[in-house]
Amino acid sequence: MTTGARRRMGVEERRQQLIGVALELFSRRSPDEVSIDEIASAAGISRPLVYHYFPGKLSLYEAALRRAADDLAERFVEPRQGPLGSRLLRVMRRFFDFVDDHGPGFSALMRGGPAVGSSTTNALIDSVRQAAYVQILAHLDVTDPPARLELVVRSWISLAESTALIWLDGRRVPRAELEKQLVHDLAALLVVSAAYDEEMSALLRRVLAGEPADGPFGDLVGRIVALAS
């Protein structure tokens, strides 16, 4: 009869395990509140062994952030099939899935945490924003964005971040409403920009031409008409 001897992990396997454990703990509490001792205990190893794989908490936090950043960037990837409004709504649902699952870590990252301000952290945050920007342009079928469109899309990405952070403080607005509202926000930004620029106006007409009346953009038009009547 064999005994249940613990299998020895390789170096990379152990590193990935520790990153996963750290992410799980950071999803429940701010990284500032999670100690190396807690991470070691949750991983079933000693504190010195954690330092064997990571020189300090900051390096482990940055490694966990890198995995989370890759995950978050993937949430913006969506097949370019069907109406734009419906695609963006699916993206927002996945974005809020991430925010919901990693609330304290997401909040600590955006508002200030143990790695905030480091060149690694800033680069990772910027990489997520850039990935989101590229994906939104792809959904708009634009490869060489005019200046106004870049302003609209980057402003909207910042709005999504700040909306998620405010929502985490109490979740006082139903999540599903915020997801749709953010899709409406992008449409509204496009409309305002189109009022100032013919190129943006042509883009908006092209986008709206493929939108069904019962989609997110059609819903926004209906709400505006109701307000004006």
Side-chain angles (χ1 to χ4, degrees), residues 22-30 100-105:
L23 276 174
E24 174 62 25
L25 292 171
F26 296 161
S27 73
R28 298 195 296 267
R29 290 171 25 237
S30 168
D100 223 351
D101 292 341
H102 302 279

Side-chain angles (χ1 to χ4, degrees), residues 15-177:
R15 281 178 55 84
Q16 294 305 316
Q17 182 216 17
L18 288 170
I19 291 171
V21 167
L23 276 174
E24 174 62 25
L25 292 171
F26 296 161
S27 73
R28 298 195 296 267
R29 290 171 25 237
S30 168
D32 280 327
E33 301 172 359
V34 178
S35 68
I36 287 294
D37 286 331
E38 288 179 84
I39 295 171
S41 176
I45 62 176
S46 65
R47 175 190 176 95
L49 195 53
V50 175
Y51 287 112
H52 175 73
Y53 296 101
F54 294 95
K57 181 179 175 179
L58 179 59
S59 64
L60 176 54
Y61 180 84
E62 288 178 345
L65 175 59
R66 184 174 290 106
R67 182 187 290 183
D70 290 342
D71 181 5
L72 183 54
E74 283 293 319
R75 307 295 174 112
F76 286 88
V77 177
E78 172 74 20
R80 282 184 280 167
Q81 299 171 351
L84 175 64
S86 298
R87 281 181 265 152
L88 293 177
L89 186 56
R90 289 192 290 271
V91 168
M92 284 296 94
R93 285 170 181 162
R94 289 197 298 271
F95 173 72
F96 271 90
D97 281 344
F98 181 93
V99 173
D100 223 351
D101 292 341
H102 302 279
F106 179 83
S107 182
L109 169 63
M110 297 302 175
R111 288 177 170 157
V116 170
S118 76
S119 58
T120 299
T121 302
N122 291 337
L124 287 170
I125 296 171
D126 287 343
S127 73
V128 173
R129 290 170 177 156
Q130 182 62 21
Y133 174 71
V134 169
Q135 286 298 319
I136 298 304
L137 289 183
H139 286 301
L140 292 168
D141 197 21
V142 174
T143 55
D144 186 18
R148 288 186 189 275
L149 181 58
E150 180 174 0
L151 284 171
V152 164
V153 176
R154 293 197 185 280
S155 296
W156 179 75
I157 291 168
S158 296
L159 177 61
E161 286 180 14
S162 59
T163 298
L165 286 171
I166 294 169
W167 177 76
L168 282 171
D169 285 338
R171 294 172 166 82
R172 292 174 294 172
V173 177
R175 176 184 146 175
E177 289 183 14

Side-chain angles (χ1 to χ4, degrees), residues 88 136 140 147-163 180-197 199-201 203-204 207-208 217 220 224:
L88 293 177
I136 298 304
L140 292 168
R148 288 186 189 275
L149 181 58
E150 180 174 0
L151 284 171
V152 164
V153 176
R154 293 197 185 280
S155 296
W156 179 75
I157 291 168
S158 296
L159 177 61
E161 286 180 14
S162 59
T163 298
K180 181 179 287 188
Q181 181 179 314
L182 280 166
V183 175
H184 289 172
D185 286 336
L186 178 59
L189 288 169
L190 288 170
V191 168
V192 171
S193 185
Y196 289 85
D197 187 279
E199 189 173 9
M200 291 296 295
S201 178
L203 170 65
L204 182 64
V207 167
L208 293 179
F217 288 173
L220 175 60
I224 292 174

